[in-house]
Amino acid sequence: LLAAACVASASAAAGGILHAQGAASLSAKSVGRAGTLRLRGGQNDHQMDDREIARTAVFSKKNRLSMTLSDFMRERCLSNPKDEATKELECIMNGVQAACRLIADMVGKAGIQDMTGLAGTGENVQGEEQKKLDILSNDVFKDKLAKTGCMAFLGSEEEDEAIHITGKHGGDYVAVFDPLDGSSNIDAAISVGTIFGIYKANGAKTFPLVKGEAQVAAGYCMYSTSSIMMVTFGEGVHGFTLDSSLGEFVLTHPNVKMPKRGKIYSTNQGNLPQWPSGIKTYFEKLTTGEGESKTKYSLRYIGSMVGDMHRTLLYGGIFLYPADDKNKNGKLRLLYEANPMAMLAENAGGKASTGKERVMELMPTKLHDRCPIYIGSAEDVDECVKYVNA
């Protein structure tokens, strides 16, 4: 009975939009025979046996008719019927969400399908040991984006060089992505995610290096208790949760706005001894309530930029990864980590800085360039940058 209830709860969490009419609740109570649950919803009671519980999620009609990501993209096309770029972005996002659905499924089954652990292929170009899911996720993302027919180049964290797409599948867009951010967490079943940015190639014959301001779309998909995709096209930020029963991302976070200031900071504080004195002073004031807000901040750190940024986007606060003695230019990659997150943050009312300039104003010199980053609520970032430059 308990196992059946857990299966139903997990299925609902994965779908992300379980609806309980009249504050409906599942209660494990005896109803005359073993292996049943009573679903209470308003004035109606319905007995469910363990098989029905395992395969049934309760959705309202409203939720079933909610706007999906596909609907959202189609509406953009209908609003701009003569804009070819909007139609191309719809096609690209079809590829992105197809890839994210597959990766979400692989992440969920990693522990039972021998997809955890190291791949045994050695280090990638970043000097990091590749996990099995790193390689699988990279292959999935490359395949789905290439098949859109819109891509000219693909730049991935897992590839030494950018991939040039020609022939019938060739297009005029560039996708840069980290196919599985935070993959070191995968064996512990902690949140991981995919980060992506999209910009025009403008007919380039070699991989074009551009500032983040040139992005036409950016987002991430977080794989956790539910799979949530946050995306921006330069006009606000919207969140879509994967409904596993429909196989669609459903709009659950329309027009996300980041609070101007939060109460949480997120960073690998184990690196504190290697940071500049100004940053050390900032943390001292932040943790004692002596900062500008006179509020004592709490530390929350997952070790996956997607997970930490998702919380920051919704609750406010600041995420930072400064340059230090070991990583002189910072650790996070500019093109496929910092820039997409910066575009999301700014379109939600936040800020993203290198400590010297906006992240999206920094000109890359190669695919895997790194940069320091201070990103989050506008007032928190402004305060932090003052100490960076002290």
Side-chain angles (χ1 to χ4, degrees):
L1 181 63
L2 181 59
C6 289
V7 170
S9 297
S11 175
I17 57 170
L18 179 68
H19 179 78
Q21 292 181 330
S25 63
L26 284 170
S27 62
K29 63 184 291 185
S30 174
V31 291
R33 64 186 184 87
T36 63
L37 284 181
R38 184 182 299 276
L39 176 66
R40 293 202 303 270
Q43 298 178 349
N44 299 319
D45 282 8
H46 172 61
Q47 292 183 14
M48 302 170 66
D49 63 25
D50 50 3
R51 292 183 181 179
E52 188 178 1
I53 293 165
R55 70 171 182 264
T56 303
V58 184
F59 300 99
S60 70
K61 182 177 180 180
K62 177 182 177 182
N63 279 333
R64 286 190 179 278
L65 298 179
S66 292
M67 179 174 285
T68 66
L69 179 54
S70 299
D71 296 332
F72 184 87
M73 297 306 299
R74 195 172 303 115
E75 284 294 322
R76 294 183 78 247
C77 290
L78 293 174
S79 298
N80 303 278
K82 297 182 179 180
D83 187 359
E84 288 300 317
T86 303
K87 296 176 182 178
E88 290 166 342
L89 278 178
E90 179 188 21
C91 189
I92 291 169
M93 287 307 300
N94 284 339
V96 168
Q97 63 174 316
C100 290
R101 283 196 299 265
L102 286 172
I103 295 172
D105 184 65
M106 291 192 299
V107 168
K109 295 176 180 176
I112 56 177
Q113 291 191 349
D114 192 30
M115 289 189 287
T116 57
L118 298 174
T121 55
E123 297 180 346
N124 61 12
V125 68
Q126 315 295 335
E128 301 166 345
E129 287 283 350
Q130 288 182 306
K131 295 291 188 78
K132 294 176 183 178
L133 273 180
D134 281 323
I135 296 174
L136 291 170
S137 300
N138 187 50
D139 289 345
V140 165
F141 225 77
K142 289 188 299 181
D143 178 66
K144 294 303 179 184
L145 283 175
K147 287 178 178 176
T148 64
C150 297
M151 310 312 303
F153 294 93
L154 301 177
S156 169
E157 181 191 21
E158 303 301 331
E159 301 287 340
D160 293 357
E161 303 290 340
I163 299 168
H164 191 191
I165 299 175
T166 58
K168 69 176 183 179
H169 287 128
D172 196 36
Y173 283 84
V174 179
V176 286
F177 52 91
D178 182 348
L180 199 64
D181 172 67
S183 58
S184 61
N185 288 328
I186 196 67
D187 293 359
I190 297 172
S191 300
V192 293
T194 298
I195 309 172
F196 62 91
I198 309 293
Y199 57 91
K200 289 281 286 185
N202 292 320
K205 301 303 180 183
T206 58
F207 181 70
L209 295 167
V210 300
K211 296 180 181 181
E213 293 173 321
Q215 293 176 124
V216 295
Y220 64 77
C221 187
M222 182 182 69
Y223 313 113
S224 185
T225 53
S226 56
S227 294
I228 301 177
M229 184 183 296
M230 289 287 187
V231 64
T232 180
F233 302 99
E235 302 168 345
V237 175
H238 305 283
F240 299 82
T241 300
L242 180 60
D243 179 351
S244 57
S245 69
L246 300 177
E248 292 275 5
F249 283 92
V250 177
L251 181 63
T252 52
H253 298 72
N255 199 25
V256 174
K257 294 296 181 184
M258 192 184 300
K260 292 187 178 298
R261 186 178 284 277
K263 299 179 181 179
I264 297 171
Y265 70 97
S266 183
T267 188
N268 184 352
Q269 203 160 339
N271 293 331
L272 183 63
Q274 303 168 22
W275 289 342
S277 58
I279 295 294
K280 294 178 182 178
T281 302
Y282 171 70
F283 276 109
E284 182 180 342
K285 292 185 177 295
L286 203 66
T287 55
T288 58
E290 297 176 7
E292 292 179 1
S293 68
K294 304 303 179 185
T295 299
K296 185 177 179 181
Y297 279 49
S298 298
L299 169 65
R300 298 288 184 273
Y301 185 65
I302 298 171
S304 160
M305 189 185 190
V306 168
D308 286 313
M309 266 305 298
H310 185 68
R311 182 191 55 249
T312 304
L313 197 62
L314 297 181
Y315 299 164
I318 186 168
F319 171 89
L320 59 156
Y321 216 118
D324 55 35
D325 296 339
K326 181 180 178 182
N327 302 290
K328 301 291 186 181
N329 297 317
K331 185 175 181 181
L332 297 182
R333 272 65 59 153
L334 173 61
L335 278 174
Y336 46 81
E337 291 176 330
N339 272 340
M341 290 300 191
M343 186 176 181
L344 284 165
E346 290 192 4
N347 276 275
K351 290 187 175 183
S353 173
T354 66
K356 297 180 180 179
E357 59 189 324
R358 287 173 61 227
V359 167
M360 291 198 295
E361 291 177 345
L362 184 61
M363 185 68 190
T365 59
K366 57 183 183 295
L367 172 60
H368 300 294
D369 264 1
R370 299 172 186 256
C371 71
I373 189 167
Y374 307 87
I375 183 170
S377 296
E379 293 179 6
D380 283 312
V381 173
D382 286 342
E383 180 181 1
C384 181
V385 168
K386 293 176 184 176
Y387 288 91
V388 174
N389 297 315

